[in-house]
């Protein structure tokens, strides 16, 4: 009777568990998630680089050291020569930029020659540069936020297999799923509290538990675990079981993602492919199986080292390595990659990639079809961006800490727990391709991508006002506005549609009559709104929208001070009209998607349009150079960044900086999630992040060769004259001469002082004969009064002056008479020389105060 009952139970569980195994292991066991690749990496003759760094990149690009073992390609290093052979699955196999086999020769840490077949040559020969295969950035993930790179048994190096066996199941290849001796030995060691306890489960039993059961420790679960292990041993080979184990085992966390399998762990901890693991690296990964968080090499280095050395000792005991090798390896550092943190894989960038792909492909396809997604990401630049954001935000935190009162005021609310956030977008200004992106300071804590968050850009929007103004040189406006046009910088109330708008300058400092260059150089609010009124708010709005800024902008006075929202990504694309000869390029971050056979499934589109005349674009670049060299962004120079560059600070509730060199454009935003005041100017918050990033970027080979901005045909440089004394007080000092740039035909007559040349200046000051201003909504946001940009209340604010009339913009009553203001130009004259690359670092005291 007992026998029949036992036989019945055995048959029942055999049938039940067999069906369970068939259902779980039948067909596709693991999702073959799509892989995200970076952009190709260019190398060239003369570049300071070692063969080891090139081979490390090739391993990350899935190249193998043995020809034929990887369809992506292979390499062979012999002495000072590196042979590279792209395979049939190479990015270049179906790309317009075809790169064939090449041989690279090194000498004294530099590339001295590149020979072979190149994208730039139709026949074999020598070339000055070569493109390396795109590297793996990451694999896409599902709702469980688990990342896995599926590997075959053949992909596992013997050193890793031996390390796992020594650490977890040395008799794996000889037992039948259950090691009775091991179970009793583990129980005995548990009673003795032996620190060398290995546990009683074999690898097969661990697989049974991970695939089919819960981790809850009960006697019933242990019985099921044993039964399942026996069945798996009957149905699968040892190699199949070990391959399943190698892909399923949990090996820690990477920010908000779990690291599943040795393929993902090799990249997470050592920034390399699993095939390239060395003895100490394999021993560490095998040691992590017992407790990935307990032995985390970043948080618990001593425990991790001790665990790795234990695995080495067990490998020597089992004869996998010699005692001498174990002792020698135990003295080595852990060698985990310093860039094996979540920022190195550009998590916000990857999220953007996946979101865009979901408009073209299903989520299931992206997680199961092994698509190859080629992007524009530059991994070296991404690391620089991550590092700059981290260091810059530490500086912001320190500044804010100094401003907090030591003792809280009575009845004051407690300080908010959230920290200020950061976003950085870097792109190639001539292609629009995003090279690096940081969407926040800690992806593990918040996956909100601040590069896509709409916030007031403040004065970083002002260049679009000035660009619209300078475009009058080409649209027939008389007289045209030039870089030497005189603006009135005084407290002014602007009327618009029966509402009033009262912009104010930083620290209530006003400069009277100033040139257009000075107004942008010092980010003068009142002068800028006056300029927008002269041009027409509608023209400013249309230009910004053409440049890719938020289409919901309103044509009101507040637009001049960046009071309407835009995203850092939009601002980065908009600035391409300055950095790319007036042509707008929409930001692009995906190149193409290929299936596992190399067929292109989708190619991303890009918007291109000419927004500014190249001459006007160059004038804006010249003005924005002055901002960095001598204006509100001069802090970049005092911090040691000396390459030719142009840019603009911005301050609303947040801090902004947008700037570019001849080959790289970057926008930085700093602020709080809840939109409260940062109370730091853009020059104090965003500019340090931008400067640190650009210093690191220009040290990289791809971005080192910055050039002065090229002047297009149709631009002239003429000397203008400004009196140096205050004529209103009887001064008779000689005039000062400075060079200024103009669209040809709008320059002043030689030798005529700028005050006399600015035809119609009196009418401009009085706003006589101005064209009517187009109507717009009366709902104008308050630009606020942050430290770097003191803006007026919104139109219609009860605190502002009442207004009446037709709605045309006109200034309110001035403090002084018009004649005195005309003479005040002599008193407020600034020596604003044309921007050029500093030949020597400027003195520390050359930094101008932020006047936004």
């Amino acid at each position: 009777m007992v026998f029949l009952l036992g036989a019945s139970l055995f048959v029942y569980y055999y049938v039940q568990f067999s069906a369970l195994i068939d259902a779980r292991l039948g067909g596709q066991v693991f999702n073959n998630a799509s892989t995200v690749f970076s952009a190709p990496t260019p190398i060239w003759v003369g570049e300071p680089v070692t063969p080891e760094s090139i081979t490390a990149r090739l391993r990350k690009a899935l190249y193998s050291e043995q020809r034929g073992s990887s369809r992506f390609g292979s390499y062979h290093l012999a002495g000072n020569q590196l042979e590279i052979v792209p395979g049939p699955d190479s990015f270049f196999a179906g790309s317009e930029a075809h790169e064939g086999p090449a041989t690279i020769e090194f000498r004294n840490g530099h590339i001295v020659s590149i020979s072979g077949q190149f994208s730039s040559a139709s026949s074999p020969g020598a070339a000055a540069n070569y493109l390396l295969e795109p590297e793996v950035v990451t694999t896409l993930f599902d709702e469980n936020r688990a990342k896995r790179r599926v590997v075959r048994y053949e992909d596992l190096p013997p050193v890793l297999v031996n390390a796992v066996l020594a650490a977890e199941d040395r008799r794996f290849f000889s037992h039948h799923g259950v090691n009775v001796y091991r179970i009793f030995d583990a129980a005995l060691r548990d009673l003795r509290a032996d620190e060398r306890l290995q546990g009683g489960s074999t690898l097969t039993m661990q697989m049974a538990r991970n695939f089919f059961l819960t981790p809850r420790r009960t006697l019933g679960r242990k019985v099921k675990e044993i039964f399942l292990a026996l069945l798996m041993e009957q149905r699968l080979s040892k190699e199949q079981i070990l391959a399943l184990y190698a892909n399923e085992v949990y090996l820690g966390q990477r920010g908000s993602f779990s690291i599943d399998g040795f393929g993902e762990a090799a990249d997470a901890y050592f920034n390399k492919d699993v095939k390239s693991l060395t003895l100490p690296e394999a021993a560490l990964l095998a040691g992590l199986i017992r407790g990935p968080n307990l032995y985390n090499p970043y948080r618990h280095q001593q425990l991790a080292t001790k665990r790795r050395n234990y695995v080495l000792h067990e490998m020597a005991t089992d004869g996998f390595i010699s005692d001498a090798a174990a002792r020698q390896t135990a003295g080595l550092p852990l060698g985990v990659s310093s860039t094996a943190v979540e920022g190195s894989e550009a998590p916000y960038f990857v999220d953007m990639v996946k979101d865009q792909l979901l408009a073209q492909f299903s989520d299931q396809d992206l997680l199961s079809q092994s698509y190859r997604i080629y992007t524009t990401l530059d991994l070296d630049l991404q690391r620089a961006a991550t590092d700059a954001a981290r260091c810059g935000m530490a500086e912001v935190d320190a500044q804010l800490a100094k401003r907090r009162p030591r003792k809280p005021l009575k009845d004051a609310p407690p300080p908010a727990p959230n920290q200020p956030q950061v976003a950085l977008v870097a792109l190639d200004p001539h292609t629009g391709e995003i090279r690096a992106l940081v969407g926040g300071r800690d992806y593990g804590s918040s996956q909100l991508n601040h590069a896509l968050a709409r916030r007031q850009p403040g004065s970083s929007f002002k260049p679009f006002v000035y660009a619209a103004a300078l475009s009058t040189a080409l649209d027939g406006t008389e007289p045209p506005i030039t870089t030497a046009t005189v603006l009135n910088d005084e407290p002014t109330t602007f009327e618009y549609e029966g509402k009033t708008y009262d912009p104010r300058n930083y620290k209530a400092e006003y400069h009277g009559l100033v040139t257009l260059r000075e107004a942008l150089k010092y980010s003068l609010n009142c002068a800028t709104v006056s300029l927008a009124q002269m041009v027409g708010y509608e023209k400013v709005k249309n230009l910004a929208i053409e440049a890719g800024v938020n289409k919901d902008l309103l044509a009101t006075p507040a637009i001049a001070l960046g009071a309407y929202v835009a995203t850092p990504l939009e601002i980065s694309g908009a600035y391409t009209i300055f950095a790319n000869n007036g042509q707008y390029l929409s930001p692009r971050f995906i190149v193409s998607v290929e299936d596992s056979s190399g067929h292109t499934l989708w190619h991303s589109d890009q918007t291109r349009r000419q927004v500014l005349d190249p001459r006007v674009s160059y004038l804006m670049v010249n003005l924005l150079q002055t901002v960095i060299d001598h204006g509100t962004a001069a802090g970049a120079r005092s911090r040691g960044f000396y390459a030719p560059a142009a840019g603009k600070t911005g301050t609303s509730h947040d801090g902004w900086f947008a700037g570019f060199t001849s080959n790289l454009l970057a926008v930085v935003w700093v602020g709080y999630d809840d939109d409260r005041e940062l109370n730091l100017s853009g020059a104090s918050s965003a500019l340090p992040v931008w400067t640190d990033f650009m210093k690191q970027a220009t040290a990289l080979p791809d971005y080192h060769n910055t050039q002065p901005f090229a002047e297009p045909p149709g631009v002239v440089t003429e000397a203008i004259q400004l009196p140096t004394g205050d004529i209103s007080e009887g001064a008779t000092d000689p005039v000062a001469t400075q060079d200024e740039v103009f669209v040809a035909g709008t320059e002043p007559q030689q030798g005529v002082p700028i005050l006399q040349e600015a035809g119609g200046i009196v009418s401009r000051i009085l706003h006589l004969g101005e064209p009517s201003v187009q109507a717009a909504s009366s709902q104008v946001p308050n630009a606020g009064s942050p430290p770097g940009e003191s803006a007026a209340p919104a139109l219609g604010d009860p605190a502002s002056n009442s207004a009446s009339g037709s709605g045309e913009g006109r200034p309110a009553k001035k403090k002084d008479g018009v004649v005195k203001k005309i003479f005040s130009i002599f008193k407020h004259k600034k020596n604003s020389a044309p921007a050029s690359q500093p030949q020597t670092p400027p003195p520390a005291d050359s930094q101008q105060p932020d006047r936004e």
Side-chain angles (χ1 to χ4, degrees):
M1 186 67 179
V2 174
F3 174 78
L4 290 177
L5 180 60
S8 299
L9 287 174
F10 177 84
V11 172
Y12 170 78
Y13 280 114
Y14 182 88
V15 173
Q16 182 186 42
F17 288 149
S18 293
L20 187 64
I21 292 174
D22 291 340
R24 180 67 176 85
L25 301 182
Q28 183 174 296
V29 179
F30 299 107
N31 280 334
N32 292 314
S34 300
T35 303
V36 179
F37 290 85
S38 69
T41 301
I43 57 175
W44 56 88
V45 174
E47 180 181 354
V49 65
T50 64
E52 290 74 21
S53 63
I54 299 294
T55 56
R57 287 185 179 275
L58 293 173
R59 287 194 296 269
K60 284 283 291 179
L62 304 181
Y63 275 42
S64 171
E65 200 164 359
Q66 295 180 351
R67 180 173 295 187
S69 61
S70 171
R71 290 183 56 83
F72 285 91
S74 63
Y75 66 90
H76 177 68
L77 179 61
N80 291 326
Q81 287 192 338
L82 174 64
E83 181 185 5
I84 301 176
V85 182
D89 285 351
S90 166
F91 168 74
F92 303 114
S95 172
E96 296 178 359
H98 176 73
E99 295 286 21
T103 300
I104 304 170
E105 186 175 355
F106 301 84
R107 187 178 303 128
N108 299 326
H110 289 73
I111 296 176
V112 295
S113 69
I114 303 175
S115 58
Q117 300 175 12
F118 316 103
S119 58
S120 57
S122 58
S123 59
N129 53 66
Y130 185 79
L131 291 176
L132 297 178
E133 189 79 22
E135 301 173 40
V136 172
V137 178
T138 189
T139 52
L140 294 184
F141 51 89
D142 57 17
E143 65 277 4
N144 295 322
R145 301 190 73 78
K147 291 200 173 185
R148 176 186 291 108
R149 301 189 187 191
V150 179
V151 297
R152 304 168 302 168
Y153 177 78
E154 294 79 11
D155 298 327
L156 302 175
V159 67
L160 177 61
V161 173
N162 294 337
V164 172
L165 297 183
E168 296 296 319
D169 189 0
R170 57 171 48 94
R171 294 182 176 86
F172 171 73
F173 281 102
S174 60
H175 63 63
H176 299 286
V178 178
N179 189 339
V180 178
Y181 169 80
R182 180 182 173 88
I183 294 176
F184 282 107
D185 182 61
L188 181 61
R189 293 191 181 193
D190 192 20
L191 293 174
R192 295 176 178 175
D194 193 326
E195 293 183 356
R196 298 178 62 197
L197 174 64
Q198 293 186 0
S201 297
T202 64
L203 291 182
T204 313
M205 293 169 65
Q206 293 181 44
M207 274 297 305
R209 179 173 66 246
N210 293 339
F211 266 81
F212 308 108
L213 305 173
T214 67
R216 184 182 178 186
R217 295 188 176 186
T218 64
L219 180 60
R221 191 217 68 184
K222 197 68 174 179
V223 172
K224 293 179 180 178
E225 183 180 307
I226 293 173
F227 201 93
L228 283 166
L230 293 173
L231 288 178
M232 290 176 65
E233 289 279 348
Q234 290 182 356
R235 291 172 173 267
L236 303 172
S237 68
K238 290 290 186 179
E239 289 76 13
Q240 288 175 313
I241 293 173
L242 194 54
L244 289 172
Y245 183 87
N247 287 295
E248 177 66 16
V249 62
Y250 170 70
L251 291 168
Q253 290 289 130
R254 194 181 202 185
S256 61
F257 297 100
S258 65
I259 302 171
D260 289 357
F262 290 115
E264 188 67 29
D267 177 73
Y269 292 110
F270 302 108
N271 200 28
K272 61 169 56 176
D273 184 69
V274 67
K275 299 176 184 178
S276 305
L277 290 174
T278 62
L279 172 60
E281 294 166 350
L284 176 61
L285 294 186
L288 289 177
I289 297 172
R290 182 55 47 84
N293 298 316
L294 174 63
Y295 301 115
N296 185 306
Y298 295 104
R299 298 178 182 176
H300 310 293
Q301 186 174 358
Q302 291 184 347
L303 284 175
T305 302
K306 183 178 179 181
R307 178 65 183 169
R308 180 203 63 180
N309 293 347
Y310 166 76
V311 174
L312 291 170
H313 175 267
E314 292 297 297
M315 292 180 72
T317 300
D318 294 338
F320 293 126
I321 59 174
S322 65
D323 291 335
R327 288 193 301 269
Q328 182 180 3
T329 307
L332 298 176
L334 291 176
V336 290
S337 173
S338 60
T339 60
V341 294
E342 198 163 29
S344 68
E345 63 174 358
Y348 297 98
F349 181 91
V350 172
D351 281 354
M352 283 202 324
V353 168
K354 186 175 182 182
D355 289 344
Q356 182 167 344
L357 290 177
L358 286 174
Q360 309 294 330
F361 306 94
S362 70
D363 189 58
Q364 181 58 34
D365 284 345
L366 292 177
L367 295 176
S368 63
Q369 297 302 312
S370 298
Y371 292 157
R372 300 199 288 264
I373 303 160
Y374 291 103
T375 72
T376 62
L377 188 70
D378 183 318
L379 289 173
D380 290 333
L381 207 61
Q382 178 64 35
R383 295 181 186 109
T386 302
D387 183 65
R390 184 181 65 254
C391 296
M393 294 312 293
E395 183 174 332
V396 168
D397 291 342
Q399 291 184 72
L400 294 176
K402 291 179 181 179
R403 295 191 173 192
R404 296 191 187 103
R406 294 185 179 180
K407 294 183 179 180
L409 300 176
K410 187 178 180 179
D411 299 328
N418 61 313
Q419 295 176 301
Q421 289 290 338
V422 63
L424 187 156
V425 180
L427 53 78
D428 184 328
H430 307 300
T431 65
E433 295 180 341
I434 295 177
R435 297 304 188 190
L437 185 141
V438 175
R441 63 191 296 165
D442 183 5
Y443 185 81
S445 300
S446 171
Q447 289 81 55
L448 174 63
N449 188 351
H450 297 86
L452 304 178
R454 288 189 165 180
R455 306 296 283 268
Q456 292 180 353
S459 293
S460 64
F461 182 87
K462 286 179 181 176
F464 302 102
V465 178
Y466 288 77
L470 293 174
S471 294
T472 61
L474 304 170
D475 65 8
T477 300
E478 289 295 338
I481 299 173
T482 73
T483 54
T485 293
V486 177
L487 303 174
N488 185 36
D489 183 49
E490 288 291 345
T492 307
T493 295
F494 296 86
E495 293 182 0
Y496 192 82
E497 288 206 335
K499 311 295 183 181
T500 59
Y501 187 65
D502 294 280
R504 294 292 180 262
N505 282 358
Y506 178 48
K507 292 184 178 180
E509 295 179 357
Y510 302 92
H511 298 253
L513 298 182
V514 296
T515 64
L516 185 141
R517 180 180 293 276
E518 289 174 308
L520 184 59
K521 172 181 172 182
Y522 297 120
S523 199
L524 303 179
N525 289 341
C526 292
T528 301
V529 179
S530 295
L531 180 64
Q533 185 187 57
M534 293 164 60
V535 177
Y537 307 126
E538 192 72 27
K539 287 185 178 180
V540 175
K541 167 192 167 182
N542 291 340
L543 174 63
I545 292 176
E546 276 293 292
V549 181
N550 176 15
K551 294 182 179 180
D552 296 329
L553 298 175
L554 298 179
T556 69
I559 194 175
L561 303 184
Y564 298 108
V565 295
T567 69
L569 187 61
E570 288 174 343
I571 295 297
S572 68
Y575 265 67
T576 59
I577 70 172
F578 307 128
N580 191 45
N581 297 317
Q583 186 182 56
Y584 167 72
L585 296 167
S586 60
R588 179 190 186 206
F589 46 91
I590 301 177
V591 176
S592 63
V593 178
E594 298 180 0
D595 62 17
S596 57
S597 300
H599 298 111
T600 300
L601 303 176
W602 181 72
H603 196 280
S604 65
D605 297 324
Q606 186 179 39
T607 301
R608 293 171 177 262
R609 56 176 171 260
Q610 196 72 32
V611 176
L612 287 179
D613 185 280
R615 294 167 290 179
V616 175
S617 176
Y618 176 77
L619 263 57
M620 284 304 306
V621 171
N622 192 272
L623 292 175
L624 293 172
Q625 282 185 276
T626 304
V627 175
I628 284 187
D629 289 342
H630 307 292
T632 59
R637 300 308 191 195
S638 64
R639 288 173 174 269
F641 178 67
Y642 306 123
K648 184 69 186 75
T649 50
T651 310
S652 54
H653 289 178
D654 317 313
W656 290 74
F657 188 78
F660 52 90
T661 64
S662 60
N663 55 15
L664 187 63
L665 188 158
V667 173
V668 176
W669 166 90
V670 177
Y672 286 103
D673 280 334
D674 56 9
D675 202 27
R676 57 194 166 98
E677 296 282 356
L678 179 65
N679 288 322
L680 290 175
S681 67
S684 299
S685 55
L687 180 62
V689 177
W690 184 91
T691 304
D692 190 17
F693 168 69
M694 294 300 285
K695 286 169 64 177
Q696 294 188 57
T698 53
L700 296 172
D702 293 354
Y703 307 95
H704 179 69
N705 189 28
T706 57
Q707 300 293 323
F709 297 103
E711 180 179 304
V715 173
V716 298
T717 301
E718 289 290 342
I720 62 173
Q721 298 179 354
L722 291 173
T724 60
D726 192 339
I727 294 180
S728 65
E729 298 178 0
T732 59
D733 295 343
V735 294
T737 300
Q738 67 180 39
D739 288 338
E740 191 56 88
V741 290
F742 302 89
V743 173
T746 65
E747 67 273 17
Q749 296 300 315
Q750 185 175 3
V752 178
I754 188 60
L755 182 61
Q756 299 176 21
E757 182 274 338
I761 184 61
V762 174
S763 64
R764 287 182 185 277
I765 294 173
L766 297 178
H767 295 275
L768 301 176
E770 230 174 43
S772 60
V773 183
Q774 292 87 343
S777 170
S778 62
Q779 296 178 353
V780 180
N782 188 349
S785 300
E789 179 179 353
S790 180
L795 298 178
D797 192 307
S800 45
N801 298 333
S802 60
S804 61
S806 64
E808 288 188 10
R810 63 177 179 83
K813 182 178 66 176
K814 307 296 190 298
K815 294 180 180 179
D816 302 315
V818 174
V819 174
K820 186 173 182 180
K821 288 191 173 297
I822 293 175
F823 285 139
S824 70
I825 189 174
F826 309 133
K827 183 176 181 179
H828 295 289
K829 187 272 307 175
K830 305 287 181 184
N831 185 17
S832 182
S836 60
Q837 181 185 7
Q839 299 301 312
T840 58
D845 61 356
S846 68
Q847 180 176 353
Q848 300 291 343
D850 192 333
R851 300 174 183 269
E852 297 180 82

